[in-house]
Amino acid sequence: MSYLDKTIIEINKALKEGKTTPKELFEQSIERAKKYQNKYNSFVTITDKYEEKEYNFNNKLAGIPCAIKDNFSTKGIRTTGSSNILDNYVPVFDATAVKKLKENQINIVGKTVLDELAMGGTGTTGYTGVVKNPYDITRQAGGSSGGSAAAVASGIVPFALGSDTGDSVRKPASLCGLVGFKPTWGRISRFGLFPFAPSLDHVAYFTRSVEDSAVILESLAGQDYNDYTSSNKKVEKYYENLNKDLKGKKLVVIKEIIDSVYDNKVIACFNKSLDELEKCGAVIEYQSVDEKLLKAIYPTYMVISCAEATSNNANLDGIKFGNRQDGASIDEVMFNTRTKGFGEFIKRRFVLGSYALAKQNQEKLFLRAQKVRRLIVEKVNDLLKEYDAIVLPASGDVAPRFDSQSEKLSDNYLIAENHLAIANFAGLPSITIPMGKKEGLPIGINITGRLFDEQTTLNIAYALESKLGYKNMMGGNK
Ligand code: GLN
């Protein structure tokens, strides 16, 4: 037995009682990271350096090992974004989220694999190879924060940092049996997180319990003068205020999204979850949203995110930093650097984004997508005037196999596998937790709350987790 198999709250108790030490946890974590690297490929970099310090275990995060997605700047630790173009990039500063974790005496064990520059949902496009699902290595861990998900689900760390632009934490959380949380846009500073599409980007993270998720939010949230979009709203006592009593809470299920979920087991687990939520006192109702709007989520997301991505990644040219290629002129250097440095999937996205931003197309594509985004956000905010949260299956099925040939443009797929992006369009707090298993593989449920109402969102998840008992889940053989 290792205390690494426990939740943060439990580890903290063991640390206080002297049953384990931060050094022992760190060493066990590194040992597992190395041992599983061939199997799951969670890490780009494993950091061997441990520095002894005076720990204060009244802080629940003190001495806890954690992993960081490799698109957060870490001072002195190579940060690649899982892109060849940044293969040799060592940042000179820490992202605010990383800085805050360090202030809370967390120990970083490594940087995790992502889909290249966070643009993907499979965990297969990072330049150091494919991430595998700890529940079944013939399947995807999901993405883009796949390495972080696999590290937590395989018991290497009890918590890992990720980022979520469309669903990149909440979807892999579903596929790997984890709690994945993205709070309100602006709740956590994005300073030092590589921008993909800043109007949609969120700092997010994986844990194996809702309590742990609440503890981490307290340490990461807050205003930051390095990110002027970070909110000055007071940081609440999310952990202390966790409450399983949902009396008076009204939840809504979007009918057309449920109708698009094709897997019977997912539906059965979801219905059971709704029953449990009712037992906790919540009232659940179904409401309709125009199917046209729901089918528009994916194209709208692609146009906006690719447009922002092409502009935000223009700095990756090999001139100031990164993996520079030779060339006879500065133009040729940039051309060769980008040609060699980027993988084919993100090149396609840059083409798409540049096309949408081209003067002659802007009105028809980019501005139109902004308008559709607005319509979706208005519809969801209308629902949230009446309801405290939206509950839905996080995914239509379990983790796909690497060779799966799903029909990505079918109406069902478009809706069931892309609706999590609604919370990015609207900046809403949104959490995925496990709600069951199908043939041993995890299935997740998603809860999306009102702006800055992290507490209610966490409380609903907390109540449901305690009823269902899917807590501290791990896959694989440790
Ligand atoms: N899967 C989505 C995409 O391909 C989301 C990515 C993300 O949230 N970073 O872009």
Side-chain angles (χ1 to χ4, degrees), residues 69 118-121 143-144 163-168 196 301 349:
K69 187 175 180 179
M119 287 180 242
S144 61
S163 63
D164 189 313
T165 303
D167 58 17
S168 271
F196 161 10
Y301 169 79
R349 291 200 184 203

Side-chain angles (χ1 to χ4, degrees), residues 69 115 117-122 143-145 163-170 196 201 298 301-302 305 349 418 424:
K69 187 175 180 179
D115 279 301
L117 297 172
M119 287 180 242
T122 58
S144 61
S145 315
S163 63
D164 189 313
T165 303
D167 58 17
S168 271
V169 160
R170 292 162 299 142
F196 161 10
D201 291 343
Y298 180 67
Y301 169 79
M302 283 308 272
S305 68
R349 291 200 184 203
N418 293 293
N424 300 78

Side-chain angles (χ1 to χ4, degrees), residues 200-216:
L200 300 162
D201 291 343
H202 295 69
V203 173
Y205 51 87
F206 301 95
T207 57
R208 292 191 299 252
S209 80
V210 176
E211 284 178 330
D212 288 2
S213 200
V215 167
I216 287 165

Side-chain angles (χ1 to χ4, degrees), residues 240-284:
E240 225 174 279
N241 295 336
L242 280 175
N243 184 350
K244 291 178 195 162
D245 184 1
L246 302 183
K247 229 170 270 130
K249 297 292 173 208
K250 284 182 78 183
L251 311 180
V252 63
V253 177
I254 299 176
K255 201 175 152 301
E256 290 70 17
I257 298 183
I258 281 299
D259 289 348
S260 70
V261 172
Y262 30 82
D263 189 85
N264 290 334
K265 183 75 196 198
V266 174
I267 296 287
C269 290
F270 183 68
N271 287 336
K272 168 144 194 326
S273 302
L274 295 184
D275 287 347
E276 297 298 345
L277 286 166
E278 276 176 342
K279 284 186 204 152
C280 299
V283 172
I284 294 160

